Amino acid sequence: MNRSLLFRLMAAFLAVILVTTSSVFLFINRSTQNQIRQYELQTEQVLAVRMQSQLSAYYFRQHNWNGIQPFIEQWGNLYEQRIVLTDTQDTVVADSQGTLTGKYSHTSVPGLPIAATPPPPGRVPAGQPAEVIGTLYILPVSASETGLGAIQILFRAIGLYFVWGGLIAIVFAFVFTLFLSRRILSPVQALTDAAKKLGQGDFKQRVTVKDTGEIGELTNTFNSMAADLEQTEQLRRNMVADVAHELRTPVSNIKGYLEAAQDGVVKMDAATIKTIDEEATLLSQLVDDLQELSLAEAGQLKLSRQDVDTTDLIKQAAAVMQAKAIAKSITISTNLPGDLPTADIDPQRINQVLRNLLENAIAYTPAGGVIGITAELKGKQIAISVTDTGEGIPADELPFIFERFYRVDKSRSRRTGGHGLGLTIAKRLVEAHGGKIDAYSEVGKGSRFVFTAPVSKPVT
């Protein structure tokens, strides 16, 4: 199990729980403050009525405010309020905290007038009384004190529930994270292990996951990549085996002739030297083709592109192959339009494509057959086709004919049938020009190869 990812999941869940719990606590605290403030206002109103009535009754009995200070201090301690009483000259005659007594009142808080005759209990006078004997001030508690009180009340009421709820949530998060780790981290760990083995060369690794989300998509991508790597590795091994097999024949022939000449079995005459030279030429051609194919597949093939008369290029390629065709009693014909535009190509490379296609057609066309070359303009591409009346290619073989070292006729010798790289090189050369090559065939009726080349850009 990936402990680092498990730790990050756990931290994320804990963070979410803490943020959620804190947010809920703050919202409840704010609501509690508002409720407490409303309650305080209602309480202050009731206290004001009660204090007005009692102060009026006190003054009615005493005819002055002498001795009122102890009552004001008692009220302040009892109701936890700052209470100030002034006379008709706004001089403080009593202060619940005892600091303003005898001083002139400068408070901006609205005061409650004290009437000479006490109002009926439970009712605040509707208007200014006829005779005012003093003013009562009930100073509000500060917002910070209200907030502190709200928090204290909130903590005493539901604080413990939040603590226990947070602990339960943390335990739940831990269990839930462990559960998720089996659903998420297990496939990730399986992918990690498979990737390590894949990196060590075991390309048969596959991962099975039932998830249909992102993990499932990642698993499918990994399996597809592993399958591609396995196929690529198999192709590489096949190529190495094919190259070794192709090189073995000419090397063995050359070595055999030299050993026979050394033992005196064969004389080193002109015929023997010619045979050895042919084997060396075949070996050299194979090495050159492999090098060229390697450059083309790596995208490092250099092209010397120029404006080329396509008609002349096709006629030259046909003329070069005419001798081989005549030797097999095969006719090569061309059918080219007179207004065929020039192509932006490397003439040597496209000539090589044509020669490979013509050599392939001559090799698989029986005596008396016909090979035709046509060309036509299709948009910004020139389509060139080589058609023969040969044996044809089976439908199940057609998708593989452009693979390296592939031969349709497995019994054909390498000297007559080539080494199986011609069509592969032709495909890479055409693709290097930005074109494509396709093959169409029917057994017993022949084959047709079509490739495209780009038209030259107009001169501006």
Side-chain angles (χ1 to χ4, degrees):
M1 182 179 295
N2 193 325
R3 294 186 178 181
S4 177
L5 185 55
L6 177 62
F7 175 78
R8 291 198 294 269
L9 283 174
M10 182 69 72
F13 278 113
L14 291 179
V16 170
I17 290 172
L18 290 176
V19 170
T20 303
T21 305
S22 301
S23 301
V24 173
F25 187 86
L26 291 176
F27 283 131
I28 294 178
N29 176 60
R30 187 63 179 270
S31 177
T32 304
Q33 288 186 33
N34 294 333
Q35 294 296 325
I36 291 175
R37 190 59 186 162
Q38 293 295 328
Y39 174 77
E40 287 177 345
L41 292 176
Q42 294 176 2
T43 303
E44 288 175 0
Q45 186 176 9
V46 173
L47 288 177
V49 173
R50 184 180 301 171
M51 290 181 184
Q52 280 182 306
S53 176
Q54 293 181 4
L55 289 174
S56 295
Y58 181 88
Y59 193 87
F60 182 78
R61 293 192 303 270
Q62 297 291 334
H63 301 290
N64 56 48
W65 295 115
N66 295 334
I68 194 63
Q69 176 66 28
F71 292 98
I72 296 298
E73 291 180 356
Q74 184 179 5
W75 287 351
N77 294 329
L78 178 63
Y79 301 119
E80 297 182 351
Q81 298 281 351
R82 177 76 180 274
I83 302 173
V84 177
L85 177 65
T86 63
D87 58 14
T88 56
Q89 304 299 322
D90 287 334
T91 301
V92 177
V93 295
D95 177 14
S96 61
Q97 295 184 0
T99 59
L100 300 177
T101 304
K103 298 181 180 179
Y104 181 76
S105 175
H106 296 283
T107 179
S108 60
V109 177
L112 300 174
I114 307 299
T117 301
R123 182 170 64 84
V124 179
Q128 184 73 13
E131 182 182 1
V132 178
I133 58 177
T135 304
L136 175 65
Y137 296 95
I138 302 177
L139 303 181
V141 180
S142 64
S144 60
E145 292 176 349
T146 301
L148 180 60
I151 292 176
Q152 292 174 348
I153 293 174
L154 181 63
F155 183 79
R156 288 195 299 267
I158 61 176
L160 292 178
Y161 293 100
F162 269 92
V163 172
W164 282 109
L167 293 176
I168 293 173
I170 291 174
V171 173
F172 176 76
F174 180 77
V175 175
F176 188 62
T177 303
L178 291 180
F179 172 75
L180 281 183
S181 67
R182 294 182 178 272
R183 295 293 304 272
I184 298 177
L185 301 184
S186 294
V188 171
Q189 186 63 42
L191 285 170
T192 302
D193 295 338
K196 289 180 179 178
K197 294 180 180 178
L198 196 68
Q200 295 172 356
D202 185 2
F203 298 108
K204 295 186 179 297
Q205 288 296 314
R206 300 293 186 273
V207 179
T208 302
V209 175
K210 297 180 180 180
D211 193 293
T212 58
E214 288 79 0
I215 296 296
E217 184 177 353
L218 177 61
T219 302
N220 293 333
T221 302
F222 174 85
N223 291 337
S224 177
M225 178 191 69
D228 292 340
L229 288 174
E230 184 180 14
Q231 183 180 9
T232 301
E233 176 64 14
Q234 186 61 43
L235 290 175
R236 185 190 67 81
R237 292 177 180 177
N238 292 341
M239 185 188 71
V240 172
D242 289 339
V243 170
H245 186 69
E246 294 292 337
L247 291 176
R248 185 182 297 114
T249 300
V251 170
S252 297
N253 290 340
I254 294 173
K255 184 178 179 181
Y257 277 110
L258 293 176
E259 289 178 352
Q262 186 177 9
D263 295 338
V265 178
V266 176
K267 294 182 179 180
M268 192 59 68
D269 52 13
T272 302
I273 294 176
K274 181 180 179 181
T275 302
I276 295 176
D277 181 67
E278 289 176 353
E279 295 294 339
T281 301
L282 180 63
L283 182 61
S284 177
Q285 182 63 42
L286 176 59
V287 173
D288 291 341
D289 287 346
L290 287 172
Q291 182 180 11
E292 189 169 33
L293 182 60
S294 176
L295 291 174
E297 291 182 340
Q300 299 178 355
L301 191 64
K302 295 182 179 180
L303 300 178
S304 178
R305 305 180 76 145
Q306 53 188 287
D307 293 342
V308 177
D309 188 326
T310 313
T311 302
D312 290 343
L313 181 69
I314 294 174
K315 289 181 178 180
Q316 290 174 6
V320 170
M321 303 303 299
Q322 200 66 249
K324 287 187 178 182
I326 293 175
K328 286 191 64 174
S329 300
I330 297 173
T331 302
I332 297 179
S333 64
T334 59
N335 183 13
L336 307 173
D339 57 348
L340 199 63
T342 59
D344 179 27
I345 57 176
D346 183 333
Q348 181 179 354
R349 300 298 186 183
I350 296 300
N351 195 357
Q352 184 178 355
V353 174
L354 282 169
R355 289 201 312 270
N356 285 343
L357 294 179
L358 289 172
E359 285 181 354
N360 189 72
I362 292 172
Y364 288 92
T365 301
V370 178
I371 298 174
I373 307 175
T374 61
E376 61 178 328
L377 179 64
K378 290 187 176 181
K380 297 182 179 181
Q381 298 279 328
I382 298 175
I384 303 172
S385 65
V386 176
T387 307
D388 63 60
T389 57
E391 306 168 2
I393 303 172
D396 58 339
E397 302 270 3
L398 202 57
F400 308 104
I401 60 174
F402 291 107
E403 293 184 4
R404 58 172 65 91
F405 298 112
Y406 189 84
R407 292 186 184 83
V408 176
D409 186 358
K410 307 299 187 298
S411 62
R412 185 178 293 270
S413 67
R414 289 164 178 77
R415 185 177 297 278
T416 58
H419 42 63
L421 292 176
L423 291 180
T424 307
I425 293 175
K427 183 175 186 295
R428 296 294 184 265
L429 292 178
V430 170
E431 291 175 346
H433 283 80
K436 65 176 183 177
I437 184 170
D438 296 302
Y440 309 89
S441 184
E442 186 175 349
V443 176
K445 293 186 178 181
S447 305
R448 181 167 67 95
F449 289 84
V450 182
F451 70 93
T452 59
V455 174
S456 298
K457 297 180 181 179
V459 180
T460 57

